[in-house]
Amino acid sequence: MARNAKIRAFFGDGDHDFALLIGQCVELQELTDCGLGEMLTRVERLRVKDMKEVLRLGLIGAGMPKEEAFRKVERHVVAGELGVCGALAFRVVAAAITGAEDEPLGEEKGEPTAESRSPEEKSVLPTSMAQAQP
């Protein structure tokens, strides 16, 4: 199943999209020498460098140009409340691990789910009363 790790949240001057895709996850791991599970703990402990890297890479993963993401993080993490930035960084990493909060669970689009199947498809009974010919 394809996952969407994108979240939208207020950061500094307005609402922005964040997404840690595979490339950003690899870069984050290389920059911080830790995986995503450990990163959850590190941003929860308000490690500023880690929060900045998560938010910068999250903005880039969602489509923001690298230079703009760098400037935005430098401006708003330094000037912002660490608790707010830490909570946002936590959400960004969590979405990379589990998918976005509003992402529907179930099978991939295009494959029928139990709810989308017709009553005949759900039933174990034959669909016709005619007896099979030998």
Side-chain angles (χ1 to χ4, degrees), residues 4 8 20 60 91:
N4 176 7
R8 186 157 183 85
L20 288 177
I60 293 167
R91 284 184 58 211

Side-chain angles (χ1 to χ4, degrees), residues 19-128:
L20 288 177
L21 306 176
I22 295 299
Q24 288 77 40
C25 290
V26 170
E27 185 174 347
L28 181 63
Q29 183 172 323
E30 290 172 354
L31 290 168
T32 61
D33 194 33
C34 78
L36 293 178
E38 184 180 349
M39 184 56 66
L40 284 174
T41 301
R42 288 168 62 156
V43 296
E44 189 174 44
R45 291 183 178 161
L46 302 179
R47 291 183 53 142
V48 177
K49 181 181 182 229
D50 293 333
M51 291 186 306
K52 288 170 66 173
E53 294 298 345
V54 166
L55 296 175
R56 181 182 67 82
L57 291 169
L59 289 166
I60 293 167
M64 185 177 286
K66 291 180 181 184
E67 297 79 19
E68 183 181 349
F70 178 82
R71 285 191 305 273
K72 190 169 291 296
V73 167
E74 286 299 311
R75 180 173 48 244
H76 296 301
V77 172
V78 172
E81 297 178 24
L82 291 181
V84 172
C85 292
L88 176 55
F90 188 92
R91 284 184 58 211
V92 172
V93 175
I97 295 170
T98 63
E101 294 172 6
D102 60 351
E103 182 178 344
L105 298 176
E107 299 162 0
E108 283 191 48
K109 188 175 181 178
E111 295 180 21
T113 62
E115 291 78 30
S116 67
R117 291 186 181 111
S118 70
E120 290 81 17
E121 291 174 315
K122 291 180 194 176
S123 176
V124 295
L125 300 174
T127 57
S128 171

